[in-house]
């Protein structure tokens, strides 16, 4: 438990550090290097177009990241009589859901709250992902993957121009790291260039991981399931996939796709109002 609590603090700091490094490299290294193209007009120069795209992706990624943290799932334990003794112990290990009128509820040890439609605990946000912040979490994963892949392409273009090398060969990227390490220790490669090369592989790993996680999460949503339900082997009621999507993304899904906005009200809150 101590290790998990430590990871819950270190992981968000790690993500913010990577985001800051990526922003600095894009704004002060990659984008200025694109201004060297004299054939393009200032209005439609690659630097301005790429800068606008990167800022759009970064604003959506960080905006949804903040909304995931702010939109913490409601603590349903305040409205439920959990009892004492063995019943609380059942909640702690997630093996029981007292008051089964609320399906897929789960007590998280790290957040110390009972979450409706609990999916999982995200260490990079330090928060549980449930019905209230699921849409913002998916948008955060989507735009983080796109921002990382965008930085990967810009970084490869920068390294190609700086080191006068070509990535036309698919194996060039795979052999770039071992060759760069040998050149770095032999003194033929600057530390700044080596740092950018290391960031290329980090962006690739984070981008692919976030993209795969986003696709898997969308598959679960289409099936009307959560990661917690799959892990516990819970049977869910079959519904049309359109209803499952609308429950998570709401009717104004296009607005949430373009700009970071708060998620729709949870189904639990609508049940309470009724």
């Amino acid at each position: 438990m101590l290790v998990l609590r430590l990871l819950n603090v270190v992981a968000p700091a790690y993500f913010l550090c990577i985001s800051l490094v990526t922003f600095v490299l894009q704004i002060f290294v990659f984008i200025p290097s694109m201004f060297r193209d004299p054939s393009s007009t200032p209005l439609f120069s690659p630097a301005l177009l790429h800068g606008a795209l990167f800022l759009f992706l970064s604003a959506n990624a960080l905006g949804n990241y903040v909304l995931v943290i702010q939109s913490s799932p409601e603590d349903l334990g305040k409205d439920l009589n959990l009892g004492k003794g063995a019943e609380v112990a059942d909640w702690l290990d997630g093996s029981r859901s007292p008051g089964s009128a609320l399906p897929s509820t789960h007590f998280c040890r790290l957040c110390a709250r009972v979450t409706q439609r609990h999916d999982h605990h995200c260490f990079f946000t330090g928060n549980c992902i449930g019905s209230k912040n699921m849409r913002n979490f998916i948008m955060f994963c989507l735009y983080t993957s796109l921002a990382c892949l965008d930085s990967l392409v810009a970084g490869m273009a920068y390294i190609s121009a700086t080191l006068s090398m070509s990535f036309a060969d698919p194996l060039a990227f795979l052999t770039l790291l071992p060759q760069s390490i040998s050149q770095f220790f032999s003194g033929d490669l600057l530390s700044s260039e080596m740092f950018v090369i290391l960031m290329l592989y980090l962006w690739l790993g984070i981008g692919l991981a976030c993209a795969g996680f986003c696709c898997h999460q969308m598959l679960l949503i289409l099936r009307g399931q959560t990661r917690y339900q799959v892990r516990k082997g819970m049977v869910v009621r079959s519904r049309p996939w359109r209803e499952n999507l609308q429950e998570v993304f709401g009717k104004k899904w296009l607005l949430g796709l373009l700009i970071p906005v708060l998620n729709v009200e949870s189904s639990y809150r609508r049940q309470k109002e009724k």
Side-chain angles (χ1 to χ4, degrees):
M1 180 57 65
L2 180 61
V3 176
L4 293 180
R5 292 187 181 276
L6 181 62
L7 182 62
N8 204 42
V9 176
V10 173
Y14 172 78
F15 171 76
L16 293 177
C17 181
I18 294 298
S19 301
L20 179 61
V21 171
T22 302
F23 183 83
V24 171
L25 287 177
Q26 284 272 20
I27 299 300
F28 297 101
V29 180
F30 299 158
I31 295 179
S33 65
M34 298 179 185
F35 277 108
R36 301 172 184 174
D37 186 6
S39 61
S40 59
T41 59
L43 183 61
F44 299 101
S45 65
L48 294 180
L49 295 178
H50 176 79
L53 175 62
F54 174 73
L55 291 178
F56 171 76
L57 298 176
S58 300
N60 275 278
L62 294 178
N64 283 286
Y65 179 81
V66 173
L67 292 180
V68 170
I69 299 176
Q70 290 183 346
S71 304
S72 299
E74 294 176 304
D75 187 3
L76 305 186
K78 298 178 181 179
D79 302 325
L80 298 174
N81 184 15
L82 300 184
K84 297 181 180 180
E87 193 171 3
V88 175
D90 289 337
W91 268 97
L92 290 177
D93 63 11
S95 61
R96 187 177 176 186
S97 296
S100 58
L102 297 175
S104 187
T105 50
H106 174 67
F107 180 84
C108 179
R109 292 173 178 265
L110 297 176
C111 294
R113 65 164 62 97
V114 181
T115 307
Q116 184 212 9
R117 288 193 62 81
H118 175 86
D119 190 86
H120 68 284
H121 182 89
C122 177
F123 289 98
F124 284 98
T125 59
N127 202 359
C128 273
I129 307 301
S131 59
K132 192 176 181 181
N133 56 2
M134 175 59 73
R135 182 180 69 178
N136 296 120
F137 176 75
I138 294 177
M139 291 296 102
F140 159 68
C141 291
L142 174 63
Y143 281 105
T144 298
S145 64
L146 294 178
C148 287
L149 296 179
D150 175 82
S151 301
L152 174 64
V153 173
M156 291 176 62
Y158 173 79
I159 290 297
S160 178
T162 303
L163 302 182
S164 299
M165 62 177 302
S166 174
F167 289 98
D169 185 3
L171 297 179
F173 185 80
L174 298 178
T175 59
L176 175 62
L177 183 59
Q179 293 178 357
S180 301
I181 293 177
S182 61
Q183 292 177 3
F184 175 75
F185 285 105
S186 63
D188 297 332
L189 191 67
L190 299 177
S191 58
S192 59
E193 298 171 346
M194 185 64 197
F195 179 75
V196 173
I197 292 175
L198 292 176
M199 289 299 299
L200 293 181
Y201 290 90
L202 185 61
W203 287 325
L204 177 63
I206 296 177
L208 293 180
C210 289
F213 198 93
C214 183
C215 293
H216 182 246
Q217 203 70 43
M218 285 297 301
L219 179 61
L220 292 178
I221 291 176
L222 291 173
R223 295 167 57 182
Q225 290 181 308
T226 64
R227 190 178 298 270
Y228 174 73
Q229 289 174 333
V230 174
R231 188 171 67 251
K232 293 296 181 179
M234 298 180 179
V235 180
V236 296
R237 180 171 59 91
S238 178
R239 296 188 308 174
W241 61 271
R242 293 181 182 272
E243 294 183 9
N244 296 328
L245 283 179
Q246 185 173 341
E247 183 180 7
V248 175
F249 293 93
K251 296 181 179 180
K252 299 180 181 179
W253 59 271
L254 184 58
L255 181 63
L257 184 64
L258 297 177
I259 59 176
V261 292
L262 287 173
N263 203 349
V264 294
E265 292 183 339
S266 64
S267 58
Y268 171 73
R269 181 178 299 178
R270 292 194 297 266
Q271 291 174 3
K272 291 198 302 183
E273 291 177 353
K274 293 180 180 179

